[in-house]
Amino acid sequence: VERLSQYLRYRIPDLCRHFGKTPSQTPRISTDPTEKLHFILLPQYATLADVALLKTDAYRLAFVDKNPHLAQQLCIRAIAASMGRDMELLKLYNQIQRILDERLPLVIPPVVESGGGRSGSKEAIAQNPLAEEDEIDSLWEATEEQSAFAPLLEALGRQIAEGSLTHSSVEEGEGRSFAVDLGNGVQLEMVAIPGGTFWMGSPDGEGIALERPRHQVTIAPFWMSKFVVTQAQYEAVIGGNPSRFKGANRPVEEVSWNDAVEFCQKLSAKANRQFRLPSEAEWEYACRAGTTTPFYFGDTISTDQANYDGNQIYGSGEKGEYRQKTTDVGSFPPNAFGLYDMHGNVWEWCLDHWHSSYQGAPTDGSAWIDKNAKEDATRVRRGGSWFNYPVNCRSACRYSSFPREAIYFIGFRIVCSSPRTLK
C-alpha cells in the first residue's frame, strides 16, 4: 500500500499537469476505510451522488462501526465538497461531536503546500484530541486542495460553535428542498433526489427470488417527501385521520393505496403541482442513497437506527427494543439523501402493480403498470414497519397488498418529478 501511495502521489499530479487540470488532485489512502478509498472532492466537480456516498459512510462509521474520529474526517470532506449547503451534514457533524463527549472545535487537517512543504508539525497534530496514534501519519498526508477549503471550514466551525448556523442560512435559495404549506402551520417538506444509475434488487447471498434478477436502472432527478406523510399532513389535505396510533407527527396508517392516491390528487390541486406515489425503482434508489448494502446504515441494523421488531436480528446485529407501535417521523438518523424512516416504522405504498420478479421490469425508473390489470390488482409496498423483522426492512425487500387494504402498519410518502422549486 505504501509503495502504491508513493507512486500515486507522484503520478496523479504529473497526469494533472499533462492534461492541464488545475488544481491537481492528490490521493489519500491510509485514512480511508479499507473497503472504499475516498478522494478529496473539489466543489466545482463534486456531484450530489459523490457527497451522498461520503455522508453515508460517515453515518456508518459513526453509528455502526463506532469510529467517530474517522467519521468526522469524512464529514469534513463532504462539507467542503458541498460548500456548506447540506444541512444534514452539519447536523451529522454535531452528532459526531456529541459522541465524542465534549464540544471540540472543527478540526481542519494540515495541508500540503504547493512547494511540497507541510504546514504544521507532527507534534502539533499529535495535540489534536481527535487524532489517534495510528491516524497521525495519515492526517499529516492531507491534500493541497484542502487549503482552498480552509476558510470555508473555519467559518462553518465558528457558526457551529456559536449556534448561528441555521436551516435558512444553509439551504435558502439553494434548491435542495421546498415545503408545501398545508395551512394551520402544517407543512410538507420535499427534498431533491439527484438522478443516477443503480443496481436494483438483492445480490447473491441476500434476499429471495422476488427481489431478482438484480438489474441496473437509471433514475431521473425527482423530489421526495422528507418523511412519510404524517397524520397532521393527511388531515390537512383529506380532513380525517384513520390512524390507530394517534399523534400529529406520527405516520398516517390504516390508509389504502386508493387513499394514498386520493391524497396525491387533492394535494396536487391544492398546491398546483403534480404529486404522486413513487415508482418502486424510485423508492429503492432513494432508500439506498448510493449504498449497495442491505440497509443504508450498512450490513446490519439496530433499533437505535429504525423502528422494527427488535426481538429478531439480521446478520451480526443485536436484539433491541420492540416498540409495538409507530414512532414520530424523524426519530432516527436519515440516509445520505436526507430521507427519514426508509427502514421500518410503516410500509410505504408504491405506484407499481405487483410482479413476482424483475424479469421484464423497466430500466428507466418508471412505474411498472399493467394496462390490462384489474382494478383490484395488487400493488407494491416497500420498507418494512414497526411490526416486522429487520430482514423485511432491507432496501431490496418488497411485498404486495390489495389497493383497498388499510392496515395499521402501512403508510406512504410522495414524490413529484419536476426538478424545479415552487414559485
Side-chain angles (χ1 to χ4, degrees):
V1 171
E2 181 57 27
R3 187 174 298 175
L4 174 62
S5 178
Q6 291 174 354
Y7 173 78
L8 290 176
R9 288 193 190 101
Y10 163 79
R11 186 58 178 154
I12 288 182
D14 186 59
L15 289 172
C16 288
R17 285 192 296 271
H18 177 77
F19 291 102
K21 179 183 176 183
T22 55
S24 62
Q25 187 164 338
T26 305
R28 294 177 71 179
I29 292 182
S30 53
T31 290
D32 298 319
T34 56
E35 71 275 11
K36 182 173 179 63
L37 302 180
H38 295 91
F39 286 76
I40 296 300
L41 299 178
L42 300 179
Q44 62 266 44
Y45 300 117
T47 67
L48 289 176
D50 293 330
V51 174
L53 286 172
L54 281 183
K55 184 161 59 173
T56 298
D57 282 350
Y59 272 111
R60 176 178 55 79
L61 285 164
F63 300 110
V64 179
D65 296 345
K66 308 300 183 184
N67 188 345
H69 302 93
L70 184 52
Q72 189 180 60
Q73 296 303 318
L74 292 188
C75 197
I76 289 171
R77 301 188 200 186
I79 289 172
S82 69
M83 295 301 290
R85 292 172 293 185
D86 191 322
M87 190 62 187
E88 299 298 340
L89 274 169
L90 300 168
K91 291 178 181 176
L92 173 61
Y93 183 87
N94 278 334
Q95 291 172 342
I96 293 171
Q97 287 215 335
R98 284 195 292 271
I99 291 174
L100 294 169
D101 291 328
E102 55 184 316
R103 302 298 296 176
L104 298 171
L106 188 67
V107 177
I108 303 172
V111 299
V112 177
E113 302 294 346
S114 57
R118 294 183 173 97
S119 63
S121 67
K122 226 173 198 184
E123 291 74 24
I125 298 170
Q127 310 254 336
N128 173 7
L130 291 181
E132 306 230 348
E133 268 183 51
D134 58 354
E135 292 181 288
I136 291 175
D137 286 338
S138 59
L139 289 174
W140 198 25
E141 299 295 340
T143 67
E144 51 189 12
E145 283 79 27
Q146 280 187 299
S147 61
F149 301 152
L152 168 67
L153 295 177
E154 288 171 350
L156 289 173
R158 287 194 298 271
Q159 287 180 289
I160 290 172
E162 296 165 1
S164 60
L165 190 60
T166 64
H167 183 282
S168 59
S169 68
V170 175
E171 293 187 347
E172 184 175 6
E174 295 298 336
R176 296 293 304 278
S177 67
F178 70 88
V180 182
D181 188 355
L182 303 180
N184 297 321
V186 179
Q187 292 193 329
L188 195 158
E189 188 174 359
M190 306 289 292
V191 296
I193 307 299
T197 299
F198 81 113
W199 284 99
M200 184 174 181
S202 58
D204 293 342
E206 178 198 329
I208 55 178
L210 297 175
E211 302 162 10
R212 298 193 181 93
R214 196 172 183 230
H215 58 292
Q216 277 196 316
V217 180
T218 299
I219 304 289
F222 64 99
W223 298 90
M224 178 173 263
S225 55
K226 188 173 188 176
F227 310 105
V228 289
V229 172
T230 66
Q231 295 172 34
Q233 292 165 346
Y234 190 83
E235 191 164 0
V237 173
I238 299 297
N241 180 8
S243 305
R244 173 177 297 193
F245 304 109
K246 300 296 185 184
N249 206 37
R250 286 186 176 183
V252 65
E253 18 86 7
E254 293 203 352
V255 286
S256 67
W257 185 89
N258 294 328
D259 293 332
V261 169
E262 181 186 10
F263 177 92
C264 292
Q265 292 170 343
K266 290 191 174 182
L267 178 62
S268 297
K270 186 181 184 76
N272 193 28
R273 185 176 182 134
Q274 193 65 42
F275 294 91
R276 58 175 172 80
L277 294 176
S279 71
E280 186 176 13
E282 287 172 333
W283 191 96
E284 185 172 327
Y285 175 78
C287 177
R288 290 188 179 280
T291 64
T292 57
T293 48
F295 308 93
Y296 62 71
F297 297 108
D299 290 323
T300 188
I301 194 170
S302 76
T303 55
D304 292 330
Q305 298 168 323
N307 181 15
Y308 62 88
D309 183 352
N311 291 319
Q312 299 294 321
I313 65 171
Y314 184 88
S316 60
E318 297 180 356
K319 290 185 178 181
E321 184 178 0
Y322 179 26
R323 298 174 177 88
Q324 303 185 59
K325 58 185 177 182
T326 59
T327 48
D328 283 359
V329 299
S331 297
F332 301 95
N335 70 6
F337 287 159
L339 301 172
Y340 290 79
D341 294 315
M342 298 296 283
H343 300 307
N345 216 5
V346 290
W347 287 96
E348 301 177 24
W349 287 113
C350 292
L351 202 55
D352 308 56
H353 284 115
W354 171 256
H355 299 82
S356 58
S357 79
Y358 287 134
Q359 197 67 47
T363 58
D364 60 357
S366 61
W368 196 359
I369 302 297
D370 294 335
K371 295 181 179 179
N372 299 321
K374 295 181 180 179
E375 187 175 347
D376 64 347
T378 53
R379 301 282 180 163
V380 174
R381 53 183 167 98
R382 301 294 297 260
S385 77
W386 62 266
F387 182 76
N388 294 104
Y389 296 161
V391 68
N392 302 124
C393 300
R394 292 173 298 110
S395 300
C397 186
R398 55 197 300 264
Y399 275 81
S400 67
S401 289
F402 290 103
R404 64 180 180 276
E405 287 186 85
I407 310 174
Y408 53 77
F409 50 69
I410 303 180
F412 67 99
R413 75 176 71 218
I414 60 173
V415 303
C416 57
S417 299
S418 172
R420 298 185 300 273
T421 56
L422 285 176
K423 296 185 178 179

Short mmCIF file of all heavy atoms in Angstrom, two decimals, residues 165-220:
data_model
loop_
_atom_site.label_atom_id
_atom_site.label_comp_id
_atom_site.label_asym_id
_atom_site.label_seq_id
_atom_site.Cartn_x
_atom_site.Cartn_y
_atom_site.Cartn_z
N LEU A 165 -25.58 28.78 12.80
CA LEU A 165 -25.80 28.11 11.52
C LEU A 165 -27.22 27.57 11.50
O LEU A 165 -27.56 26.65 12.23
CB LEU A 165 -24.81 26.97 11.33
CG LEU A 165 -24.77 26.35 9.95
CD1 LEU A 165 -24.41 27.40 8.91
CD2 LEU A 165 -23.77 25.23 9.90
N THR A 166 -28.09 28.13 10.72
CA THR A 166 -29.50 27.76 10.69
C THR A 166 -29.87 27.16 9.37
O THR A 166 -29.12 27.22 8.40
CB THR A 166 -30.39 29.00 10.92
OG1 THR A 166 -30.21 29.91 9.82
CG2 THR A 166 -30.03 29.71 12.22
N HIS A 167 -31.06 26.57 9.32
CA HIS A 167 -31.59 25.96 8.09
C HIS A 167 -31.60 26.97 6.96
O HIS A 167 -31.16 26.70 5.84
CB HIS A 167 -33.00 25.44 8.37
CG HIS A 167 -33.61 24.72 7.22
ND1 HIS A 167 -34.16 25.39 6.15
CD2 HIS A 167 -33.75 23.40 6.97
CE1 HIS A 167 -34.64 24.50 5.29
NE2 HIS A 167 -34.40 23.30 5.76
N SER A 168 -32.07 28.18 7.23
CA SER A 168 -32.19 29.17 6.15
C SER A 168 -30.83 29.62 5.66
O SER A 168 -30.65 29.87 4.47
CB SER A 168 -33.00 30.38 6.63
OG SER A 168 -32.39 30.97 7.75
N SER A 169 -29.84 29.73 6.57
CA SER A 169 -28.53 30.21 6.15
C SER A 169 -27.81 29.22 5.26
O SER A 169 -26.94 29.57 4.51
CB SER A 169 -27.66 30.52 7.37
OG SER A 169 -27.32 29.33 8.06
N VAL A 170 -28.18 27.95 5.34
CA VAL A 170 -27.52 26.92 4.53
C VAL A 170 -28.29 26.63 3.26
O VAL A 170 -27.73 26.55 2.18
CB VAL A 170 -27.35 25.63 5.35
CG1 VAL A 170 -26.78 24.52 4.48
CG2 VAL A 170 -26.42 25.89 6.52
N GLU A 171 -29.60 26.47 3.36
CA GLU A 171 -30.38 25.94 2.24
C GLU A 171 -31.19 26.98 1.48
O GLU A 171 -31.67 26.71 0.40
CB GLU A 171 -31.32 24.85 2.74
CG GLU A 171 -30.57 23.62 3.23
CD GLU A 171 -31.49 22.48 3.57
OE1 GLU A 171 -32.71 22.70 3.67
OE2 GLU A 171 -31.01 21.37 3.75
N GLU A 172 -31.40 28.14 2.03
CA GLU A 172 -32.27 29.09 1.38
C GLU A 172 -31.75 29.44 -0.01
O GLU A 172 -30.61 29.83 -0.18
CB GLU A 172 -32.40 30.37 2.23
CG GLU A 172 -33.38 31.36 1.66
CD GLU A 172 -33.55 32.55 2.59
OE1 GLU A 172 -32.83 32.63 3.60
OE2 GLU A 172 -34.41 33.39 2.29
N GLY A 173 -32.58 29.29 -1.01
CA GLY A 173 -32.21 29.63 -2.37
C GLY A 173 -31.34 28.60 -3.05
O GLY A 173 -30.93 28.79 -4.18
N GLU A 174 -31.05 27.48 -2.41
CA GLU A 174 -30.15 26.51 -3.00
C GLU A 174 -30.89 25.45 -3.81
O GLU A 174 -30.28 24.65 -4.47
CB GLU A 174 -29.32 25.82 -1.90
CG GLU A 174 -28.38 26.76 -1.17
CD GLU A 174 -27.34 27.38 -2.07
OE1 GLU A 174 -27.04 26.81 -3.12
OE2 GLU A 174 -26.84 28.46 -1.73
N GLY A 175 -32.22 25.41 -3.71
CA GLY A 175 -32.97 24.44 -4.50
C GLY A 175 -32.82 23.02 -4.03
O GLY A 175 -33.05 22.09 -4.79
N ARG A 176 -32.41 22.80 -2.77
CA ARG A 176 -32.25 21.45 -2.27
C ARG A 176 -33.53 20.92 -1.62
O ARG A 176 -33.68 19.73 -1.41
CB ARG A 176 -31.11 21.41 -1.24
CG ARG A 176 -29.75 21.74 -1.82
CD ARG A 176 -29.30 20.66 -2.80
NE ARG A 176 -29.30 19.35 -2.18
CZ ARG A 176 -28.32 18.89 -1.42
NH1 ARG A 176 -27.28 19.64 -1.16
NH2 ARG A 176 -28.39 17.69 -0.90
N SER A 177 -34.45 21.81 -1.24
CA SER A 177 -35.70 21.40 -0.62
C SER A 177 -36.73 22.49 -0.79
O SER A 177 -36.38 23.65 -1.06
CB SER A 177 -35.50 21.07 0.87
OG SER A 177 -35.17 22.23 1.58
N PHE A 178 -37.98 22.13 -0.65
CA PHE A 178 -39.04 23.12 -0.60
C PHE A 178 -40.16 22.55 0.25
O PHE A 178 -40.23 21.34 0.49
CB PHE A 178 -39.54 23.53 -1.99
CG PHE A 178 -40.32 22.45 -2.72
CD1 PHE A 178 -41.70 22.33 -2.55
CD2 PHE A 178 -39.68 21.58 -3.59
CE1 PHE A 178 -42.42 21.34 -3.22
CE2 PHE A 178 -40.39 20.60 -4.26
CZ PHE A 178 -41.77 20.47 -4.08
N ALA A 179 -41.01 23.41 0.73
CA ALA A 179 -42.10 22.98 1.61
C ALA A 179 -43.44 23.43 1.03
O ALA A 179 -43.57 24.55 0.52
CB ALA A 179 -41.91 23.52 3.01
N VAL A 180 -44.43 22.56 1.10
CA VAL A 180 -45.80 22.89 0.69
C VAL A 180 -46.57 23.29 1.94
O VAL A 180 -46.62 22.53 2.91
CB VAL A 180 -46.48 21.68 0.02
CG1 VAL A 180 -47.89 22.05 -0.43
CG2 VAL A 180 -45.66 21.18 -1.16
N ASP A 181 -47.15 24.48 1.93
CA ASP A 181 -47.92 24.97 3.06
C ASP A 181 -49.32 24.38 2.99
O ASP A 181 -50.07 24.66 2.06
CB ASP A 181 -47.97 26.49 3.03
CG ASP A 181 -48.59 27.09 4.29
OD1 ASP A 181 -49.07 26.31 5.15
OD2 ASP A 181 -48.62 28.32 4.40
N LEU A 182 -49.67 23.57 3.99
CA LEU A 182 -50.99 22.93 4.01
C LEU A 182 -51.99 23.68 4.88
O LEU A 182 -53.14 23.25 5.01
CB LEU A 182 -50.85 21.49 4.51
CG LEU A 182 -49.88 20.59 3.73
CD1 LEU A 182 -49.84 19.19 4.34
CD2 LEU A 182 -50.28 20.52 2.27
N GLY A 183 -51.56 24.80 5.46
CA GLY A 183 -52.45 25.59 6.31
C GLY A 183 -52.34 25.22 7.77
O GLY A 183 -51.90 24.12 8.13
N ASN A 184 -52.72 26.17 8.62
CA ASN A 184 -52.71 25.97 10.08
C ASN A 184 -51.34 25.55 10.60
O ASN A 184 -51.24 24.75 11.55
CB ASN A 184 -53.76 24.93 10.49
CG ASN A 184 -55.18 25.39 10.17
OD1 ASN A 184 -55.51 26.57 10.33
ND2 ASN A 184 -56.01 24.46 9.71
N GLY A 185 -50.30 26.07 9.98
CA GLY A 185 -48.96 25.78 10.44
C GLY A 185 -48.41 24.43 10.04
O GLY A 185 -47.31 24.05 10.47
N VAL A 186 -49.14 23.69 9.21
CA VAL A 186 -48.69 22.36 8.78
C VAL A 186 -47.99 22.49 7.42
O VAL A 186 -48.55 23.06 6.48
CB VAL A 186 -49.87 21.38 8.67
CG1 VAL A 186 -49.39 20.01 8.19
CG2 VAL A 186 -50.58 21.25 10.00
N GLN A 187 -46.80 21.96 7.33
CA GLN A 187 -46.05 21.97 6.08
C GLN A 187 -45.61 20.56 5.71
O GLN A 187 -45.47 19.70 6.57
CB GLN A 187 -44.83 22.88 6.19
CG GLN A 187 -45.17 24.36 6.32
CD GLN A 187 -43.97 25.25 6.10
OE1 GLN A 187 -42.84 24.87 6.40
NE2 GLN A 187 -44.19 26.43 5.56
N LEU A 188 -45.39 20.35 4.42
CA LEU A 188 -44.90 19.07 3.90
C LEU A 188 -43.62 19.36 3.14
O LEU A 188 -43.65 20.02 2.11
CB LEU A 188 -45.96 18.41 3.01
CG LEU A 188 -45.77 16.93 2.68
CD1 LEU A 188 -47.10 16.31 2.26
CD2 LEU A 188 -44.75 16.72 1.56
N GLU A 189 -42.49 18.86 3.66
CA GLU A 189 -41.19 19.18 3.09
C GLU A 189 -40.77 18.14 2.06
O GLU A 189 -40.85 16.94 2.30
CB GLU A 189 -40.13 19.29 4.18
CG GLU A 189 -38.80 19.81 3.68
CD GLU A 189 -37.79 20.05 4.78
OE1 GLU A 189 -38.13 19.83 5.96
OE2 GLU A 189 -36.65 20.48 4.46
N MET A 190 -40.30 18.62 0.92
CA MET A 190 -39.80 17.78 -0.16
C MET A 190 -38.30 18.05 -0.32
O MET A 190 -37.85 19.19 -0.22
CB MET A 190 -40.51 18.10 -1.48
CG MET A 190 -42.02 18.04 -1.43
SD MET A 190 -42.68 16.35 -1.26
CE MET A 190 -42.25 15.65 -2.86
N VAL A 191 -37.52 16.98 -0.56
CA VAL A 191 -36.08 17.13 -0.74
C VAL A 191 -35.70 16.63 -2.14
O VAL A 191 -36.34 15.75 -2.70
CB VAL A 191 -35.28 16.37 0.33
CG1 VAL A 191 -35.55 16.95 1.71
CG2 VAL A 191 -35.59 14.89 0.31
N ALA A 192 -34.64 17.21 -2.68
CA ALA A 192 -34.18 16.87 -4.03
C ALA A 192 -33.42 15.55 -4.01
O ALA A 192 -32.54 15.33 -3.19
CB ALA A 192 -33.28 17.97 -4.57
N ILE A 193 -33.79 14.66 -4.92
CA ILE A 193 -33.09 13.39 -5.10
C ILE A 193 -32.37 13.46 -6.44
O ILE A 193 -33.01 13.59 -7.49
CB ILE A 193 -34.07 12.19 -5.09
CG1 ILE A 193 -34.96 12.22 -3.85
CG2 ILE A 193 -33.29 10.88 -5.17
CD1 ILE A 193 -34.23 12.14 -2.54
N PRO A 194 -31.03 13.39 -6.46
CA PRO A 194 -30.30 13.50 -7.72
C PRO A 194 -30.51 12.27 -8.59
O PRO A 194 -30.74 11.17 -8.09
CB PRO A 194 -28.85 13.62 -7.27
CG PRO A 194 -28.81 12.88 -5.96
CD PRO A 194 -30.14 13.17 -5.31
N GLY A 195 -30.44 12.46 -9.89
CA GLY A 195 -30.53 11.32 -10.79
C GLY A 195 -29.28 10.46 -10.74
O GLY A 195 -28.24 10.87 -10.24
N GLY A 196 -29.39 9.26 -11.28
CA GLY A 196 -28.23 8.36 -11.31
C GLY A 196 -28.63 6.96 -11.73
O GLY A 196 -29.80 6.68 -12.02
N THR A 197 -27.66 6.08 -11.79
CA THR A 197 -27.87 4.68 -12.15
C THR A 197 -27.49 3.80 -10.97
O THR A 197 -26.47 4.05 -10.32
CB THR A 197 -27.04 4.31 -13.38
OG1 THR A 197 -27.44 5.13 -14.48
CG2 THR A 197 -27.25 2.84 -13.76
N PHE A 198 -28.29 2.80 -10.67
CA PHE A 198 -28.01 1.93 -9.54
C PHE A 198 -28.43 0.50 -9.85
O PHE A 198 -29.14 0.24 -10.83
CB PHE A 198 -28.73 2.43 -8.28
CG PHE A 198 -30.20 2.05 -8.19
CD1 PHE A 198 -30.64 1.16 -7.22
CD2 PHE A 198 -31.13 2.57 -9.08
CE1 PHE A 198 -31.98 0.80 -7.13
CE2 PHE A 198 -32.47 2.23 -8.99
CZ PHE A 198 -32.90 1.34 -8.02
N TRP A 199 -27.97 -0.43 -9.01
CA TRP A 199 -28.36 -1.83 -9.11
C TRP A 199 -29.58 -2.05 -8.24
O TRP A 199 -29.52 -1.90 -7.02
CB TRP A 199 -27.22 -2.75 -8.68
CG TRP A 199 -26.14 -2.87 -9.71
CD1 TRP A 199 -24.95 -2.21 -9.74
CD2 TRP A 199 -26.17 -3.72 -10.86
NE1 TRP A 199 -24.23 -2.58 -10.85
CE2 TRP A 199 -24.95 -3.52 -11.55
CE3 TRP A 199 -27.11 -4.63 -11.37
CZ2 TRP A 199 -24.65 -4.19 -12.73
CZ3 TRP A 199 -26.80 -5.30 -12.55
CH2 TRP A 199 -25.59 -5.08 -13.22
N MET A 200 -30.68 -2.42 -8.86
CA MET A 200 -31.93 -2.65 -8.14
C MET A 200 -32.09 -4.14 -7.84
O MET A 200 -31.81 -4.98 -8.69
CB MET A 200 -33.12 -2.15 -8.96
CG MET A 200 -34.45 -2.25 -8.27
SD MET A 200 -35.76 -1.48 -9.27
CE MET A 200 -37.18 -1.73 -8.20
N GLY A 201 -32.54 -4.44 -6.63
CA GLY A 201 -32.72 -5.83 -6.22
C GLY A 201 -31.61 -6.30 -5.31
O GLY A 201 -30.66 -5.57 -5.02
N SER A 202 -31.73 -7.52 -4.85
CA SER A 202 -30.75 -8.05 -3.90
C SER A 202 -29.68 -8.87 -4.63
O SER A 202 -29.99 -9.61 -5.57
CB SER A 202 -31.44 -8.91 -2.84
OG SER A 202 -32.14 -9.98 -3.45
N PRO A 203 -28.43 -8.77 -4.20
CA PRO A 203 -27.35 -9.55 -4.80
C PRO A 203 -27.39 -10.99 -4.30
O PRO A 203 -28.16 -11.34 -3.40
CB PRO A 203 -26.10 -8.82 -4.32
CG PRO A 203 -26.50 -8.25 -3.00
CD PRO A 203 -27.96 -7.88 -3.14
N ASP A 204 -26.54 -11.82 -4.86
CA ASP A 204 -26.42 -13.21 -4.39
C ASP A 204 -26.07 -13.23 -2.91
O ASP A 204 -25.22 -12.45 -2.45
CB ASP A 204 -25.34 -13.95 -5.19
CG ASP A 204 -25.73 -14.15 -6.65
OD1 ASP A 204 -26.94 -14.02 -6.95
OD2 ASP A 204 -24.84 -14.40 -7.48
N GLY A 205 -26.72 -14.12 -2.17
CA GLY A 205 -26.46 -14.21 -0.75
C GLY A 205 -27.38 -13.35 0.10
O GLY A 205 -27.34 -13.44 1.33
N GLU A 206 -28.20 -12.53 -0.53
CA GLU A 206 -29.16 -11.71 0.20
C GLU A 206 -30.52 -11.84 -0.46
O GLU A 206 -30.63 -11.84 -1.68
CB GLU A 206 -28.74 -10.24 0.21
CG GLU A 206 -29.73 -9.32 0.92
CD GLU A 206 -29.55 -7.85 0.58
OE1 GLU A 206 -28.41 -7.44 0.30
OE2 GLU A 206 -30.57 -7.12 0.56
N GLY A 207 -31.56 -11.92 0.33
CA GLY A 207 -32.91 -11.85 -0.22
C GLY A 207 -33.39 -13.13 -0.88
O GLY A 207 -32.79 -14.20 -0.76
N ILE A 208 -34.49 -13.00 -1.61
CA ILE A 208 -35.17 -14.13 -2.23
C ILE A 208 -35.46 -13.84 -3.69
O ILE A 208 -35.17 -12.76 -4.19
CB ILE A 208 -36.49 -14.44 -1.47
CG1 ILE A 208 -37.37 -13.19 -1.41
CG2 ILE A 208 -36.19 -14.95 -0.06
CD1 ILE A 208 -38.70 -13.40 -0.72
N ALA A 209 -36.10 -14.81 -4.35
CA ALA A 209 -36.34 -14.71 -5.80
C ALA A 209 -37.21 -13.51 -6.16
O ALA A 209 -37.09 -12.97 -7.27
CB ALA A 209 -36.98 -16.00 -6.31
N LEU A 210 -38.08 -13.09 -5.25
CA LEU A 210 -38.94 -11.94 -5.53
C LEU A 210 -38.13 -10.67 -5.79
O LEU A 210 -38.63 -9.72 -6.39
CB LEU A 210 -39.88 -11.68 -4.34
CG LEU A 210 -40.90 -12.77 -4.00
CD1 LEU A 210 -41.66 -12.39 -2.73
CD2 LEU A 210 -41.87 -12.97 -5.15
N GLU A 211 -36.89 -10.65 -5.32
CA GLU A 211 -36.04 -9.46 -5.43
C GLU A 211 -35.02 -9.57 -6.56
O GLU A 211 -34.05 -8.81 -6.59
CB GLU A 211 -35.32 -9.24 -4.09
CG GLU A 211 -36.28 -9.09 -2.93
CD GLU A 211 -35.60 -9.31 -1.58
OE1 GLU A 211 -34.35 -9.40 -1.53
OE2 GLU A 211 -36.31 -9.41 -0.56
N ARG A 212 -35.25 -10.49 -7.49
CA ARG A 212 -34.31 -10.72 -8.58
C ARG A 212 -35.06 -10.82 -9.91
O ARG A 212 -36.27 -10.99 -9.91
CB ARG A 212 -33.50 -12.01 -8.31
CG ARG A 212 -32.67 -11.95 -7.04
CD ARG A 212 -31.66 -13.09 -6.97
NE ARG A 212 -30.89 -13.02 -5.75
CZ ARG A 212 -31.19 -13.67 -4.62
NH1 ARG A 212 -32.25 -14.47 -4.59
NH2 ARG A 212 -30.46 -13.54 -3.54
N PRO A 213 -34.34 -10.75 -11.06
CA PRO A 213 -32.89 -10.57 -11.17
C PRO A 213 -32.46 -9.15 -10.85
O PRO A 213 -33.18 -8.19 -11.14
CB PRO A 213 -32.61 -10.90 -12.64
CG PRO A 213 -33.88 -10.56 -13.35
CD PRO A 213 -34.98 -10.88 -12.39
N ARG A 214 -31.31 -9.05 -10.23
CA ARG A 214 -30.72 -7.74 -9.96
C ARG A 214 -30.42 -7.08 -11.30
O ARG A 214 -29.87 -7.71 -12.21
CB ARG A 214 -29.44 -7.92 -9.14
CG ARG A 214 -28.93 -6.67 -8.47
CD ARG A 214 -27.79 -7.05 -7.55
NE ARG A 214 -27.28 -5.88 -6.82
CZ ARG A 214 -26.01 -5.55 -6.73
NH1 ARG A 214 -25.09 -6.29 -7.35
NH2 ARG A 214 -25.63 -4.51 -6.04
N HIS A 215 -30.76 -5.81 -11.42
CA HIS A 215 -30.63 -5.15 -12.72
C HIS A 215 -30.34 -3.67 -12.53
O HIS A 215 -30.68 -3.08 -11.51
CB HIS A 215 -31.91 -5.34 -13.54
CG HIS A 215 -33.14 -4.82 -12.86
ND1 HIS A 215 -33.67 -5.41 -11.72
CD2 HIS A 215 -33.94 -3.76 -13.14
CE1 HIS A 215 -34.74 -4.73 -11.33
NE2 HIS A 215 -34.92 -3.73 -12.17
N GLN A 216 -29.72 -3.09 -13.55
CA GLN A 216 -29.40 -1.67 -13.48
C GLN A 216 -30.59 -0.82 -13.93
O GLN A 216 -31.26 -1.14 -14.92
CB GLN A 216 -28.20 -1.34 -14.36
CG GLN A 216 -26.86 -1.63 -13.68
CD GLN A 216 -25.70 -0.96 -14.39
OE1 GLN A 216 -25.63 -0.99 -15.62
NE2 GLN A 216 -24.78 -0.38 -13.62
N VAL A 217 -30.82 0.26 -13.20
CA VAL A 217 -31.91 1.19 -13.51
C VAL A 217 -31.35 2.61 -13.47
O VAL A 217 -30.56 2.95 -12.59
CB VAL A 217 -33.06 1.06 -12.49
CG1 VAL A 217 -34.18 2.04 -12.82
CG2 VAL A 217 -33.60 -0.36 -12.46
N THR A 218 -31.74 3.41 -14.43
CA THR A 218 -31.32 4.81 -14.48
C THR A 218 -32.49 5.70 -14.07
O THR A 218 -33.58 5.60 -14.63
CB THR A 218 -30.84 5.20 -15.89
OG1 THR A 218 -29.70 4.39 -16.23
CG2 THR A 218 -30.44 6.67 -15.93
N ILE A 219 -32.26 6.53 -13.08
CA ILE A 219 -33.30 7.35 -12.46
C ILE A 219 -33.08 8.82 -12.81
O ILE A 219 -31.96 9.33 -12.69
CB ILE A 219 -33.30 7.19 -10.93
CG1 ILE A 219 -33.46 5.72 -10.54
CG2 ILE A 219 -34.37 8.06 -10.28
CD1 ILE A 219 -34.82 5.15 -10.77
N ALA A 220 -34.13 9.50 -13.25
CA ALA A 220 -34.07 10.93 -13.46
C ALA A 220 -34.24 11.65 -12.12
O ALA A 220 -34.81 11.10 -11.18
CB ALA A 220 -35.18 11.37 -14.42
#
